[in-house]
Amino acid sequence: MKRITPALVTALLAAGCTGAAPASPRPAAPPPGVTVSLAQYRSDEPVHVLQVAVRNTHETPVYFADVQLVTASFKTLPPQRADATIRKTARTDLPLTYGPATCLPTGLPTRLPEVAPATVVARVSTGGEPPRAVAFPVPHPDPLLARLLRDECAEYLVKQTVTIEFGPEWRQTGSGPDAVMRGDLVVTRRGPGLVRLTSMGGTTHYIVEHAEPLGTLDAEARQVRLPIRLTPGRCDAHAFAEAKKAFLFPVRVTLDGGDERVVIVTPPKPLQDRLIQYAARACGLPQQ
């Protein structure tokens, strides 16, 4: 017999310790009759949430332990707990927080990426068996993911060149239904190029008025202040109680004459509080 030396024992032990761990099993196919699609409610947008809309055409209930969105277009986050038993249903929604969009690195041409294929990976079980990983393909190209990727990466490209913020000084002129909040949108340079702001849209609660076009940051300028005026868009108490996107103001921007991009600009919390108080006064609503 070949003699096993201490050196050989050491080598064998080292090989065993450094050997690659066994690969995780690939996700299984979905249970019969169970499919998923993606949806998003208005209240989901500000908090980066999607709904995994599950359809089950069979009588057998399927338990979802967790769900996870896997796509090259958005950063993959850890699986998120679902803890839901889906019986026969045309649609049951499971909320899912999705990661930041995967946009082009700084310095590449200002173009937007195409949406990549996506899969919802979930741990599911039927008939009381232990949960197993299952991959639910999302029909490609998914229009919702394509829009979210386009919007987020368009904003990313603009933010490589400028920051757009509500200015610190706001004042009310007039009173009652004629009251107006006046202030500035401050555009500060971060990168080279001519920046043209074509317009700023209102929200569910506020109407925006400004010059047409809104303004320009010349290629040699470092900063520009653009005057804007805000008035209430709705005065019913229900709207104030149910506001989801009251402070998500869309600003349309072009860089060096390129395609128009949209950037969402949000006032800081102290200014939000002032704007709510102002709108309540202008609408004749009770102060909170």
Side-chain angles (χ1 to χ4, degrees):
M1 293 180 61
K2 185 174 180 179
R3 183 167 175 257
I4 300 179
T5 65
L8 180 57
V9 171
T10 302
L12 291 173
L13 289 174
C17 292
T18 59
S24 300
R26 298 184 63 180
V34 182
T35 58
V36 305
S37 59
L38 300 178
Q40 188 177 58
Y41 299 120
R42 174 173 291 185
S43 58
D44 291 339
E45 294 183 39
V47 291
H48 233 241
V49 167
L50 293 171
Q51 301 295 327
V52 178
V54 183
R55 177 181 175 87
N56 184 2
T57 61
H58 281 207
E59 300 293 339
T60 303
V62 179
Y63 174 74
F64 279 70
D66 53 38
V67 288
Q68 179 185 41
L69 179 67
V70 179
T71 172
S73 290
F74 294 88
K75 180 181 178 181
T76 301
L77 300 182
Q80 295 162 56
R81 184 179 180 184
D83 192 22
T85 299
I86 309 299
R87 304 183 186 277
K88 187 174 183 179
T89 178
R91 173 174 166 175
T92 297
D93 291 344
L94 304 177
L96 170 70
T97 301
Y98 60 100
T102 305
C103 302
L104 297 174
T106 304
L108 291 181
T110 55
R111 59 182 178 85
L112 300 179
E114 297 292 330
V115 68
T119 302
V120 172
V121 177
R123 288 192 307 125
V124 305
S125 64
T126 56
E129 63 185 9
R132 68 189 189 282
V134 169
F136 294 90
V138 176
H140 182 71
D142 181 76
L144 174 58
L145 291 181
R147 177 178 65 79
L148 295 175
L149 179 69
R150 179 200 67 211
D151 292 350
E152 199 163 322
C153 289
E155 187 169 2
Y156 167 85
L157 291 175
V158 172
K159 288 180 176 179
Q160 303 312 298
T161 303
V162 291
T163 58
I164 305 174
E165 304 170 298
F166 279 74
E169 297 178 4
W170 284 80
R171 67 189 187 282
Q172 177 182 324
T173 60
S175 61
D178 297 324
V180 177
M181 285 293 281
R182 299 175 183 270
D184 293 330
L185 204 61
V186 180
V187 184
T188 305
R189 180 171 302 285
R190 295 186 63 195
L194 173 69
V195 182
R196 180 182 175 89
L197 290 83
T198 56
S199 66
M200 179 177 182
T203 70
T204 54
H205 275 54
Y206 297 95
I207 297 171
V208 179
E209 297 177 334
H210 56 73
E212 297 289 347
L214 179 55
T216 300
L217 181 67
D218 294 328
E220 299 79 18
R222 188 191 71 84
Q223 188 179 84
V224 64
R225 292 175 176 266
L226 307 174
I228 57 176
R229 302 175 298 279
L230 300 181
T231 52
R234 294 177 61 180
C235 280
D236 54 294
H238 176 74
F240 274 78
E242 296 297 326
K244 301 298 184 183
K245 301 171 68 175
F247 296 107
L248 303 181
F249 293 88
V251 178
R252 298 187 177 277
V253 182
T254 63
L255 305 177
D256 286 327
D259 294 337
E260 192 172 74
R261 316 291 191 193
V262 176
V263 176
I264 301 300
V265 182
T266 303
K269 184 62 167 59
L271 180 54
Q272 291 183 24
D273 294 340
R274 285 188 60 197
L275 290 173
I276 290 174
Q277 294 168 5
Y278 147 74
R281 288 194 304 269
C283 290
L285 297 174
Q287 299 288 307
Q288 295 185 353

